[in-house]
Every structure is written in structure tokens, then in C-alpha cells.
Amino acid sequence: MSAIKNMYPERSSIYRAWSTWEKISFRFAFIFFILLVVPIQFSWYKKLFEDFSFYGLLANVSGFRPEFIEISSESGKWGIDSYATWAIAAIISAIGTAIWTWLASGRQRLSYNQLYYWLRVLVRYRIGLGLIAFGFIKFYPMQMPFPSIANLHTDLGDYAPFKLYWQSVGVSVWYQIFLGFLEIGAGILMFFRATTAIGAIINAGVLYNIAHANFAYDGAVHVYSSYFVLLSLFLLILYIPDLYRLFIKKEAITPQYYRIKLDSRTKRRGYYLAKALFILVFVFVYGAYRYDFHYYQGRLKEPVIPGFSKAVGHYTVSQFILNGDTLTYSPYDSVRWHDAVFERYSTLVYKVNKKQPIDLRNGTPHKTDLFKDYEFTGRAGGRVYLYYEIDSLENAIYVVNKGRKFNENFEKENKKENEVNLKKLYQTAIRDSIGILKWKYERPSTEQIVLSGQDVSFDSIKVVLDRIPEQPLLGKGWFSENKKYTYVQ
């Protein structure tokens, strides 16, 4: 130690000997954060190589979430039990610390500064990657899309708390974009030692806000967001003594922290080249991939295949005929449609007084419109969401209930395609297994649509829909009816 002090007298505190409790604390932290930062689950690697691509590699590395166990209970999804993975990591770390301490007893080593340095590097880059990936889905506003027409006509009490919160953010498009910009910027700060402290403070504050909002609204993203709060607080530990002296004791400080020594031009060039390449790939290349996937390939939470031309709107059911009998409107009717909505994409929504399963997931971006579920997750109200494909030659549409549970093999075979050919599947046995219906349509005018055919109970129905003139209070949203994707059917 004296030799080190003589070589670096102005930085001798950096190389000071660690106390026993500091070593024990570090050993625990080292094992704990390695378990949370480095993928050790076989399922992660299996997913990575099942459908390997460069984008998939970047997305899986950036979006890694440690998950040793999943408790299937209410608390396991929204409450304290959802942190079970952290508890398991803490138990393993405690055992590992005891073994490490026993093995290291009586030995004097000066490697803790280096281990601490590299652990901080690993944590810094994990935060940076996660925050940048988290930010892009907001910067390209698709994590919380603008509310659909059917969503805007949903009663407030029919929303699950998380969906109400997400819809509120979805309305504020530029706020969501700003959040994405902030998260991307804060993530980039993690790649540089000089900006680590300010970046960790920003990340801890922003992600804490997201975590407690998800606790309040049952958003199920509280674990992942508080994960970054935990990592950020770990990074801030190093700076607390100097921050205390500067802001509390009002003392002048000269921060001095351990760093590796690049004692040759080759090492320095390699270091800067590696960092530049890392930032290029995970910020610019990954950002370009995200843009392409969202806006050119249609991998959004919302469908992108266009529906009927100039049919977007809210419709009243002026006539409903069941097996030849005209049913009069009743708010308690579980068969007659109460109203209907045609979205700008190929989704038809109708409401009946009948219990429908409530999907409590956040909605996942898919390549295939049929499997995109964000529009009906987190809401009740008896609305049925139908995906439809138009056959203009026969004046027919083929429809499927999007809210039903699809066969696992059917999903696996079709999720890689841009769209599912319902007309072709209608001629096979799959028709009955997933409930494909064929309805005739007429358009006497641009304000009226008439549908006729058989429902899932094989009853004959005829529905006359008249558009209700409305002036949306929120405008047409981020994407109007005329918004065109480069995505081609």
C-alpha cells in the first residue's frame, strides 16, 4: 500500500485498503447484481436462438428481465410477490458471500477496486441499454397508442386502472415522445463516467415515478422500472460522500475515483473504438430498426391493415334481424347489438349486454393484425372485437373474434406472417376451430353499412348500421384515417 501511495500520492485514497464490512458488503452486491444483470436463464438463450436475427439479438440484450420464478397470484402480478426473483437473488448472494468470505479469510488482496470498477461498468451499460430500448417505444409513440374510437366510447367505469392510465398518456402524444427522448438521453449518459452521477439521478427519479404509477394503476411494469431504480441507486453510492460534503457541509471537493489505466496508444484506441461502436449499434442502428419495424413493417400494438374505405366512425344499430325476427333495442339485450364501431384499420367492434373475458395484459406488438390485442385489453363493457378481411369481389367479409383464445399451433404458424388469409382458412377445418364467419356486406351510402350472415351460434342475422355524426373532442389523434403506412399488404 505504501508503494502505491508513493506512486500516486494525490490519489492514495482511491487505493486505500477496504474494511472488513466494506468487503462483505461488496461481495454481496457483486453476486447480487451479477445475478440481476447477466442472463443466466436457459429460456432467455432458447428464445434468442429460436428465431435469431441481429435485431432480435439487440432487442433481447436490451430488454432482458431477470425472472427466476413467477408467482401466479394477484400479488405475484401486481404486488410484493412479483419481486420474488430479487428475494431469490438476495438469498443466493448471502450464501455466496459467506462462502467467499470464508475462502478469502487471512488473505490480503487489492483487487476489490478493480472488481468494483468493472461491476459498475456492467451496471452502467445495463441501465443504458434498458433505458434506450424503453425510450424508443415511447419516442416512436407506440407503447401507449392514441385511444381508438371504440376506446373513446367506453364508459369510464369499464376501464381497468392501468388501461385508463395508459390511455391518458396515449392522448398526450408529445408528452410520450418527450418521455422517450428523456429516457434515451438518460440512457446514453450511462455510457460515460463523467455523466454517470447525473444520469443515475435522472434515471432513479424518472423510473421511480413509473414504478409507483404502475403500483397505483396495476400496470405490471413496476418490477422492471424499479429494477432500474435499484441499479441507479447502486451507482450513486460511490458519489454520496462527495455529494454530502459538497451540498451539506459546503466543502470544496475534487472528485477522484478509481479507473483502469490505459497505458498505451493501442489500448486507448481500442477503448474509444469499442465504445463508439457500442453506441453506434445500440443507439443508432437499434433506433433505425425500431423505426423500420414500427412504421414500415407494422409491428405496432395497433393493427395496420386498412378496413372499409371511408367507414371510420361510431354507428347506431338501426335494425337487427335474428332468424327473420326484428329485435327492438333494449339495453339489457344480450343478443342484439347496441352500437358498433369501425376503426380505421380492419377492426369491427360491437357492444352487447353480455359478459366478455377481460384481458389484463398490456398488449404486445405483433406482426399479424389478428393477434394484436392492445385495443381490447384492460377493459370491460360487453364489447366484442372482430378482425375482418374484405373480399370485394363477393361483397363479403371474413371475421374472427380477436378476444378468443387461439390454438397455440395456429398462433405459432401465423404470427410470422403479415396477415392471416381468412378466406383460404374458411375452406378448411380451421374455420370451426377458430370461429371464422363469412358475412355479406352492402353499402347503400357512405353513412350506412348492412351486414348479413350467420353468427357463432349459426343463427341468421342482418344488421343495419348507420353512422352517427360526431365531432371528436380529441381530434383524430396521432394517426388520422388518412395516415398511410409504407407497410404493404
Side-chain angles (χ1 to χ4, degrees):
M1 182 62 69
S2 60
I4 293 176
K5 288 182 179 180
N6 293 332
M7 293 172 60
Y8 305 98
E10 76 285 1
R11 296 171 60 195
S12 61
S13 62
I14 302 175
Y15 297 90
R16 65 175 176 78
W18 288 43
S19 66
T20 301
W21 76 267
E22 286 177 328
K23 290 180 180 180
I24 293 175
S25 299
F26 171 76
R27 291 163 186 161
F28 177 88
F30 185 85
I31 300 172
F32 181 75
F33 286 108
I34 289 294
L35 290 173
L36 293 187
V37 170
V38 179
I40 60 175
Q41 299 99 305
F42 174 75
S43 58
W44 185 86
Y45 293 95
K46 181 181 178 182
K47 178 183 177 182
L48 179 64
F49 291 105
E50 275 183 347
D51 187 19
F52 185 82
S53 66
F54 187 59
Y55 167 78
L57 173 64
L58 300 182
N60 278 287
V61 170
S62 300
F64 164 70
R65 304 187 184 197
E67 190 173 31
F68 303 153
I69 187 174
E70 183 177 348
I71 299 177
S72 56
S73 66
E74 184 174 337
S75 180
K77 183 174 179 61
W78 297 292
I80 195 66
D81 286 353
S82 55
Y83 289 91
T85 291
W86 292 19
I88 293 174
I91 293 172
I92 295 174
S93 300
I95 297 173
T97 299
I99 297 174
W100 187 348
T101 302
W102 176 69
L103 293 175
S105 60
R107 299 180 183 182
Q108 295 295 328
R109 295 181 180 273
L110 297 175
S111 60
Y112 287 97
N113 286 307
Q114 293 182 16
L115 285 176
Y116 189 27
Y117 173 86
W118 286 113
L119 179 61
R120 284 175 52 81
V121 169
L122 188 64
V123 171
R124 279 170 44 206
Y125 276 70
R126 176 65 195 99
I127 296 174
L129 295 182
L131 263 292
I132 289 170
F134 219 16
F136 273 127
I137 61 176
K138 296 183 181 71
F139 186 72
Y140 306 134
M142 57 74 57
Q143 183 181 13
M144 291 160 278
F146 193 91
S148 66
I149 297 176
N151 286 170
L152 293 175
H153 285 88
T154 297
D155 294 336
L156 195 64
D158 288 334
Y159 275 116
F162 85 88
K163 194 57 175 284
L164 186 61
Y165 172 68
W166 282 42
Q167 297 281 47
S168 299
V169 178
V171 169
S172 308
V173 178
W174 287 106
Y175 171 67
Q176 184 175 176
I177 292 174
F178 171 75
L179 285 179
F181 174 80
L182 182 63
E183 290 175 358
I184 293 171
I188 293 174
L189 293 178
M190 291 290 99
F191 298 148
F192 305 94
R193 288 192 309 272
T195 56
T196 296
I198 185 64
I201 292 172
I202 294 173
N203 291 334
V206 172
L207 273 298
Y208 170 76
N209 180 61
I210 295 174
H212 80 71
N214 276 271
F215 265 120
Y217 292 96
D218 293 339
V221 192
H222 56 289
V223 176
Y224 193 53
S225 49
S226 55
Y227 169 70
F228 292 109
V229 175
L230 177 68
L231 298 183
S232 298
L233 292 177
F234 169 72
L235 293 179
L236 286 174
I237 291 174
L238 179 66
Y239 306 108
I240 289 177
D242 283 341
L243 292 174
Y244 175 78
R245 289 169 54 201
L246 177 64
F247 291 106
I248 305 302
K249 301 182 71 173
K250 308 297 183 182
E251 296 177 358
I253 62 170
T254 303
Q256 296 179 12
Y257 307 113
Y258 176 88
R259 63 178 181 178
I260 58 172
K261 187 177 181 181
L262 303 175
D263 52 6
S264 70
R265 181 177 297 179
T266 301
K267 289 182 180 180
R268 287 192 293 272
R269 285 180 175 177
Y271 168 80
Y272 290 119
L273 178 62
K275 175 168 286 192
L277 184 62
F278 193 90
I279 294 174
L280 174 66
V281 169
F282 281 96
V283 177
F284 297 100
V285 175
Y286 183 67
Y289 267 121
R290 278 290 189 182
Y291 186 89
D292 177 71
F293 273 42
H294 296 332
Y295 295 111
Y296 287 89
Q297 298 189 35
R299 293 196 183 186
L300 296 160
K301 288 187 174 182
E302 288 187 310
V304 296
I305 297 176
F308 280 119
S309 175
K310 298 180 180 180
V312 176
H314 183 211
Y315 289 76
T316 183
V317 181
S318 57
Q319 190 177 35
F320 189 94
I321 301 174
L322 177 68
N323 294 327
D325 296 327
T326 300
L327 304 183
T328 57
Y329 171 76
S330 168
Y332 306 108
D333 200 319
S334 62
V335 177
R336 188 190 193 278
W337 298 6
H338 297 182
D339 63 8
V341 167
F342 277 97
E343 304 288 0
R344 61 179 175 81
Y345 37 78
S346 55
T347 294
L348 164 62
V349 187
Y350 67 87
K351 181 178 180 179
V352 294
N353 183 36
K354 186 178 181 180
K355 291 182 179 180
Q356 303 292 339
I358 301 176
D359 194 324
L360 295 177
R361 295 174 296 178
N362 290 329
T364 305
H366 286 295
K367 191 174 183 179
T368 311
D369 280 7
L370 176 60
F371 304 116
K372 294 177 179 179
D373 52 12
Y374 179 79
E375 51 188 328
F376 60 81
T377 60
R379 41 165 307 153
R383 291 194 179 274
V384 179
Y385 283 74
L386 303 176
Y387 167 78
Y388 66 92
E389 291 180 3
I390 304 171
D391 183 351
S392 57
L393 295 179
E394 296 186 16
N395 275 13
I397 59 172
Y398 295 86
V399 301
V400 171
N401 184 350
K402 296 186 67 174
R404 64 167 294 137
K405 297 295 182 182
F406 292 104
N407 180 277
E408 185 176 344
N409 291 331
F410 175 76
E411 286 195 24
K412 187 175 182 180
E413 291 173 3
N414 291 277
K415 276 188 175 181
K416 296 180 181 180
E417 305 298 326
N418 286 328
E419 60 180 307
V420 178
N421 191 328
L422 294 185
K423 181 178 180 179
K424 182 178 179 180
L425 294 177
Y426 187 77
Q427 313 300 325
T428 69
I430 295 178
R431 175 187 65 191
D432 296 328
S433 66
I434 68 172
I436 303 176
L437 303 175
K438 180 180 179 180
W439 293 345
K440 291 289 186 178
Y441 74 85
E442 301 173 41
R443 300 196 67 180
S445 70
T446 57
E447 303 302 310
Q448 187 179 77
I449 298 177
V450 180
L451 302 174
S452 58
Q454 287 187 330
D455 62 14
V456 291
S457 300
F458 302 104
D459 291 319
S460 172
I461 62 171
K462 180 178 180 180
V463 187
V464 180
L465 304 173
D466 291 299
R467 181 151 45 187
I468 303 172
E470 291 181 327
Q471 181 62 43
L473 296 177
L474 296 173
K476 291 186 176 180
W478 182 247
F479 300 110
S480 69
E481 180 182 359
N482 297 320
K483 170 70 179 180
K484 301 297 182 183
Y485 286 88
T486 307
Y487 164 79
V488 179
Q489 299 183 46

